[in-house]
Amino acid sequence: DAKTTQPNSMESNEEEPVHLPCNHSTISGTDYIHWYRQLPSQGPEYVIHGLTSNVNNRMASLAIAEDRKSSTLILHRATLRDAAVYYCILRALQGAQKLVFGQGTRLTINP
Amino acid sequence: EAGVAQSPRYKIIEKRQSVAFWCNPISGHATLYWYQQILGQGPKLLIQFQNNGVVDDSQLPKDRFSAERLKGVDSTLKIQPAKLEDSAVYLCASSLAGGPGNTIYFGEGSWLTVV
């Protein structure tokens, strides 16, 4: 399984944008980039995913570098409810296509 | 739409006892996963089912853990006998299919404490 590297923790202020980075230098051409987040005492929840192009949905935006070796999850206007552990995961096109979680980034939002 | 249901939410048992967790995936979801999450770590996949067949159980400690998915719907995960290091949250998840573009939906988890 291809590996991702994320900062252990980040801090931001409420109502400001947050940029969560992820490095995946060993990504293969058919690996999808997925982001999940886990709020306290809950199971992980899907945030967004992409392959090559930047993606937007109601929760966030995903910016993917041209060489696909890194990506950034963007929360446009953070709220206290966005405080969670954010996981960047590569999901292979072939094989079992399972989610392999790393340590993730613990995001703290200050009021 | 109902989410992934798990029970029990919390369980405390003594070491060497047995425990079973139950999962009801989202209706129509063919793929079901069981993950183990130890405090402070990311979830680790234990087993993946496609309908009622096992796709991946490479990280399931088969000497004490077992899982089944009868009729391709509900699933149970059993631990017998439990060890102290099995204290964790057991997360069930499901998706329509196993493809990398499919969203995986997680339940709230079953919290196990082994004393």
PDB file of all heavy atoms in Angstrom, chain B residues 91-111:
ATOM      1  N   LEU B  91     -14.851  -1.007  14.470  1.00  0.00           N
ATOM      2  CA  LEU B  91     -15.652  -0.229  13.533  1.00  0.00           C
ATOM      3  C   LEU B  91     -16.107  -1.106  12.385  1.00  0.00           C
ATOM      4  O   LEU B  91     -15.299  -1.807  11.768  1.00  0.00           O
ATOM      5  CB  LEU B  91     -14.824   0.923  12.963  1.00  0.00           C
ATOM      6  CG  LEU B  91     -14.370   1.998  13.952  1.00  0.00           C
ATOM      7  CD1 LEU B  91     -13.184   2.770  13.399  1.00  0.00           C
ATOM      8  CD2 LEU B  91     -15.526   2.950  14.255  1.00  0.00           C
ATOM      9  N   CYS B  92     -17.376  -1.057  12.102  1.00  0.00           N
ATOM     10  CA  CYS B  92     -17.923  -1.718  10.923  1.00  0.00           C
ATOM     11  C   CYS B  92     -18.184  -0.642   9.876  1.00  0.00           C
ATOM     12  O   CYS B  92     -18.574   0.488  10.200  1.00  0.00           O
ATOM     13  CB  CYS B  92     -19.208  -2.446  11.265  1.00  0.00           C
ATOM     14  SG  CYS B  92     -19.949  -3.310   9.850  1.00  0.00           S
ATOM     15  N   ALA B  93     -17.959  -0.980   8.623  1.00  0.00           N
ATOM     16  CA  ALA B  93     -18.169  -0.035   7.536  1.00  0.00           C
ATOM     17  C   ALA B  93     -18.723  -0.778   6.331  1.00  0.00           C
ATOM     18  O   ALA B  93     -18.566  -1.998   6.217  1.00  0.00           O
ATOM     19  CB  ALA B  93     -16.864   0.661   7.174  1.00  0.00           C
ATOM     20  N   SER B  94     -19.372  -0.043   5.436  1.00  0.00           N
ATOM     21  CA  SER B  94     -19.889  -0.677   4.230  1.00  0.00           C
ATOM     22  C   SER B  94     -19.816   0.272   3.051  1.00  0.00           C
ATOM     23  O   SER B  94     -19.734   1.490   3.222  1.00  0.00           O
ATOM     24  CB  SER B  94     -21.331  -1.162   4.442  1.00  0.00           C
ATOM     25  OG  SER B  94     -22.243  -0.079   4.545  1.00  0.00           O
ATOM     26  N   SER B  95     -19.830  -0.297   1.861  1.00  0.00           N
ATOM     27  CA  SER B  95     -19.882   0.493   0.639  1.00  0.00           C
ATOM     28  C   SER B  95     -20.644  -0.290  -0.414  1.00  0.00           C
ATOM     29  O   SER B  95     -20.775  -1.517  -0.322  1.00  0.00           O
ATOM     30  CB  SER B  95     -18.476   0.840   0.135  1.00  0.00           C
ATOM     31  OG  SER B  95     -17.760  -0.315  -0.218  1.00  0.00           O
ATOM     32  N   LEU B  96     -21.137   0.445  -1.436  1.00  0.00           N
ATOM     33  CA  LEU B  96     -21.916  -0.209  -2.486  1.00  0.00           C
ATOM     34  C   LEU B  96     -21.112  -1.309  -3.142  1.00  0.00           C
ATOM     35  O   LEU B  96     -21.611  -2.393  -3.416  1.00  0.00           O
ATOM     36  CB  LEU B  96     -22.318   0.823  -3.543  1.00  0.00           C
ATOM     37  CG  LEU B  96     -23.637   1.549  -3.329  1.00  0.00           C
ATOM     38  CD1 LEU B  96     -23.816   2.637  -4.369  1.00  0.00           C
ATOM     39  CD2 LEU B  96     -24.801   0.564  -3.397  1.00  0.00           C
ATOM     40  N   ALA B  97     -19.859  -1.015  -3.417  1.00  0.00           N
ATOM     41  CA  ALA B  97     -18.965  -1.979  -4.032  1.00  0.00           C
ATOM     42  C   ALA B  97     -17.565  -1.664  -3.537  1.00  0.00           C
ATOM     43  O   ALA B  97     -17.371  -0.731  -2.758  1.00  0.00           O
ATOM     44  CB  ALA B  97     -19.052  -1.884  -5.551  1.00  0.00           C
ATOM     45  N   GLY B  98     -16.588  -2.450  -3.979  1.00  0.00           N
ATOM     46  CA  GLY B  98     -15.244  -2.258  -3.470  1.00  0.00           C
ATOM     47  C   GLY B  98     -14.385  -1.291  -4.253  1.00  0.00           C
ATOM     48  O   GLY B  98     -13.256  -1.054  -3.902  1.00  0.00           O
ATOM     49  N   GLY B  99     -14.920  -0.692  -5.298  1.00  0.00           N
ATOM     50  CA  GLY B  99     -14.115   0.157  -6.157  1.00  0.00           C
ATOM     51  C   GLY B  99     -13.582   1.388  -5.460  1.00  0.00           C
ATOM     52  O   GLY B  99     -14.208   1.877  -4.513  1.00  0.00           O
ATOM     53  N   PRO B 100     -12.448   1.946  -5.907  1.00  0.00           N
ATOM     54  CA  PRO B 100     -11.810   3.070  -5.219  1.00  0.00           C
ATOM     55  C   PRO B 100     -12.590   4.361  -5.298  1.00  0.00           C
ATOM     56  O   PRO B 100     -12.304   5.293  -4.544  1.00  0.00           O
ATOM     57  CB  PRO B 100     -10.464   3.199  -5.954  1.00  0.00           C
ATOM     58  CG  PRO B 100     -10.706   2.615  -7.295  1.00  0.00           C
ATOM     59  CD  PRO B 100     -11.693   1.511  -7.097  1.00  0.00           C
ATOM     60  N   GLY B 101     -13.574   4.456  -6.168  1.00  0.00           N
ATOM     61  CA  GLY B 101     -14.383   5.659  -6.219  1.00  0.00           C
ATOM     62  C   GLY B 101     -15.586   5.603  -5.309  1.00  0.00           C
ATOM     63  O   GLY B 101     -16.323   6.580  -5.169  1.00  0.00           O
ATOM     64  N   ASN B 102     -15.820   4.439  -4.677  1.00  0.00           N
ATOM     65  CA  ASN B 102     -16.993   4.280  -3.812  1.00  0.00           C
ATOM     66  C   ASN B 102     -16.720   4.780  -2.406  1.00  0.00           C
ATOM     67  O   ASN B 102     -15.699   4.465  -1.812  1.00  0.00           O
ATOM     68  CB  ASN B 102     -17.403   2.801  -3.754  1.00  0.00           C
ATOM     69  CG  ASN B 102     -18.116   2.354  -5.002  1.00  0.00           C
ATOM     70  OD1 ASN B 102     -19.279   2.652  -5.203  1.00  0.00           O
ATOM     71  ND2 ASN B 102     -17.402   1.639  -5.858  1.00  0.00           N
ATOM     72  N   THR B 103     -17.666   5.512  -1.870  1.00  0.00           N
ATOM     73  CA  THR B 103     -17.552   6.013  -0.509  1.00  0.00           C
ATOM     74  C   THR B 103     -17.760   4.871   0.483  1.00  0.00           C
ATOM     75  O   THR B 103     -18.635   4.026   0.287  1.00  0.00           O
ATOM     76  CB  THR B 103     -18.599   7.102  -0.256  1.00  0.00           C
ATOM     77  OG1 THR B 103     -18.362   8.182  -1.167  1.00  0.00           O
ATOM     78  CG2 THR B 103     -18.520   7.625   1.173  1.00  0.00           C
ATOM     79  N   ILE B 104     -16.968   4.852   1.527  1.00  0.00           N
ATOM     80  CA  ILE B 104     -17.128   3.884   2.605  1.00  0.00           C
ATOM     81  C   ILE B 104     -17.778   4.596   3.786  1.00  0.00           C
ATOM     82  O   ILE B 104     -17.330   5.666   4.190  1.00  0.00           O
ATOM     83  CB  ILE B 104     -15.771   3.276   3.014  1.00  0.00           C
ATOM     84  CG1 ILE B 104     -15.183   2.505   1.833  1.00  0.00           C
ATOM     85  CG2 ILE B 104     -15.930   2.368   4.217  1.00  0.00           C
ATOM     86  CD1 ILE B 104     -13.823   1.881   2.115  1.00  0.00           C
ATOM     87  N   TYR B 105     -18.843   4.009   4.295  1.00  0.00           N
ATOM     88  CA  TYR B 105     -19.593   4.590   5.408  1.00  0.00           C
ATOM     89  C   TYR B 105     -19.313   3.779   6.664  1.00  0.00           C
ATOM     90  O   TYR B 105     -19.438   2.555   6.644  1.00  0.00           O
ATOM     91  CB  TYR B 105     -21.092   4.578   5.098  1.00  0.00           C
ATOM     92  CG  TYR B 105     -21.473   5.411   3.898  1.00  0.00           C
ATOM     93  CD1 TYR B 105     -21.456   4.856   2.613  1.00  0.00           C
ATOM     94  CD2 TYR B 105     -21.824   6.746   4.027  1.00  0.00           C
ATOM     95  CE1 TYR B 105     -21.781   5.616   1.493  1.00  0.00           C
ATOM     96  CE2 TYR B 105     -22.165   7.507   2.915  1.00  0.00           C
ATOM     97  CZ  TYR B 105     -22.137   6.937   1.659  1.00  0.00           C
ATOM     98  OH  TYR B 105     -22.465   7.697   0.559  1.00  0.00           O
ATOM     99  N   PHE B 106     -18.978   4.476   7.739  1.00  0.00           N
ATOM    100  CA  PHE B 106     -18.621   3.824   8.989  1.00  0.00           C
ATOM    101  C   PHE B 106     -19.747   3.931  10.015  1.00  0.00           C
ATOM    102  O   PHE B 106     -20.469   4.927  10.062  1.00  0.00           O
ATOM    103  CB  PHE B 106     -17.367   4.456   9.591  1.00  0.00           C
ATOM    104  CG  PHE B 106     -16.103   4.090   8.869  1.00  0.00           C
ATOM    105  CD1 PHE B 106     -15.739   4.735   7.691  1.00  0.00           C
ATOM    106  CD2 PHE B 106     -15.269   3.094   9.361  1.00  0.00           C
ATOM    107  CE1 PHE B 106     -14.573   4.393   7.023  1.00  0.00           C
ATOM    108  CE2 PHE B 106     -14.096   2.757   8.699  1.00  0.00           C
ATOM    109  CZ  PHE B 106     -13.749   3.399   7.531  1.00  0.00           C
ATOM    110  N   GLY B 107     -19.847   2.901  10.856  1.00  0.00           N
ATOM    111  CA  GLY B 107     -20.706   2.983  12.011  1.00  0.00           C
ATOM    112  C   GLY B 107     -20.004   3.739  13.129  1.00  0.00           C
ATOM    113  O   GLY B 107     -18.859   4.174  12.987  1.00  0.00           O
ATOM    114  N   GLU B 108     -20.703   3.877  14.257  1.00  0.00           N
ATOM    115  CA  GLU B 108     -20.134   4.632  15.383  1.00  0.00           C
ATOM    116  C   GLU B 108     -19.132   3.795  16.175  1.00  0.00           C
ATOM    117  O   GLU B 108     -18.391   4.333  16.990  1.00  0.00           O
ATOM    118  CB  GLU B 108     -21.248   5.128  16.292  1.00  0.00           C
ATOM    119  CG  GLU B 108     -22.095   6.210  15.629  1.00  0.00           C
ATOM    120  CD  GLU B 108     -23.048   6.856  16.618  1.00  0.00           C
ATOM    121  OE1 GLU B 108     -23.771   6.114  17.310  1.00  0.00           O
ATOM    122  OE2 GLU B 108     -23.066   8.103  16.686  1.00  0.00           O
ATOM    123  N   GLY B 109     -19.130   2.506  15.965  1.00  0.00           N
ATOM    124  CA  GLY B 109     -18.142   1.653  16.616  1.00  0.00           C
ATOM    125  C   GLY B 109     -18.656   0.975  17.873  1.00  0.00           C
ATOM    126  O   GLY B 109     -19.616   1.418  18.508  1.00  0.00           O
ATOM    127  N   SER B 110     -18.014  -0.126  18.191  1.00  0.00           N
ATOM    128  CA  SER B 110     -18.256  -0.851  19.439  1.00  0.00           C
ATOM    129  C   SER B 110     -16.984  -0.767  20.273  1.00  0.00           C
ATOM    130  O   SER B 110     -15.928  -1.205  19.823  1.00  0.00           O
ATOM    131  CB  SER B 110     -18.594  -2.320  19.158  1.00  0.00           C
ATOM    132  OG  SER B 110     -19.838  -2.451  18.521  1.00  0.00           O
ATOM    133  N   TRP B 111     -17.126  -0.171  21.485  1.00  0.00           N
ATOM    134  CA  TRP B 111     -15.958   0.067  22.333  1.00  0.00           C
ATOM    135  C   TRP B 111     -15.762  -1.126  23.248  1.00  0.00           C
ATOM    136  O   TRP B 111     -16.641  -1.449  24.044  1.00  0.00           O
ATOM    137  CB  TRP B 111     -16.184   1.329  23.160  1.00  0.00           C
ATOM    138  CG  TRP B 111     -16.283   2.573  22.344  1.00  0.00           C
ATOM    139  CD1 TRP B 111     -17.226   2.889  21.398  1.00  0.00           C
ATOM    140  CD2 TRP B 111     -15.398   3.693  22.393  1.00  0.00           C
ATOM    141  NE1 TRP B 111     -16.978   4.131  20.857  1.00  0.00           N
ATOM    142  CE2 TRP B 111     -15.869   4.655  21.457  1.00  0.00           C
ATOM    143  CE3 TRP B 111     -14.254   3.991  23.145  1.00  0.00           C
ATOM    144  CZ2 TRP B 111     -15.226   5.873  21.253  1.00  0.00           C
ATOM    145  CZ3 TRP B 111     -13.618   5.215  22.940  1.00  0.00           C
ATOM    146  CH2 TRP B 111     -14.100   6.125  21.997  1.00  0.00           C
TER     147      TRP B 111
END
